[in-house]
Amino acid sequence: MTPGMSLLSAGERLMALIFQLALSLLVLYAVRDGKLRFLALAVAWHALPDFFAALFQKQAFPFWGAELVLIAVTLLSLLFLRRSRRLFPG
């Protein structure tokens, strides 16, 4: 593996970590407050990048498009993580 590929792989793993942290907080909020619609949102949110990754594997969607979806989901996850402090006061 080239150094460039290693760097790209590390960046993708970092995006996945941010994404999973946001999903975990969303599920925690849903369960703690009994708001099941947020649990459904977490499931749908998780399916979004998986859907485009599956399309890429079937050669129905370009690689760069799947990566752009992951970047967008990561940025929205960062926004949620930043604003989630209001959901968990104290």
Side-chain angles (χ1 to χ4, degrees):
M1 183 181 286
T2 65
M5 285 301 291
S6 296
L7 188 59
L8 286 174
S9 295
E12 191 274 335
R13 289 289 85 208
L14 180 61
M15 288 189 289
L17 177 65
I18 293 166
F19 178 59
Q20 292 297 328
L21 285 171
L23 287 174
S24 296
L25 279 180
L26 188 57
V27 169
L28 175 64
Y29 176 67
V31 171
R32 185 194 69 179
D33 289 1
K35 297 183 178 181
L36 293 181
R37 67 178 180 263
F38 288 105
L39 186 58
L41 176 63
V43 170
W45 190 243
H46 189 277
L48 183 66
D50 291 344
F51 175 74
F52 288 101
L55 286 178
F56 165 70
Q57 288 180 344
K58 289 291 189 179
Q59 298 176 346
F61 199 72
F63 172 76
W64 58 266
E67 289 299 314
L68 285 177
V69 168
L70 182 58
I71 290 168
V73 165
T74 301
L75 292 174
L76 289 171
S77 295
L78 277 171
L79 181 64
F80 172 74
L81 286 170
R82 184 146 175 88
R83 294 182 177 202
S84 67
R85 292 177 154 240
R86 293 182 286 185
L87 300 176
F88 304 99

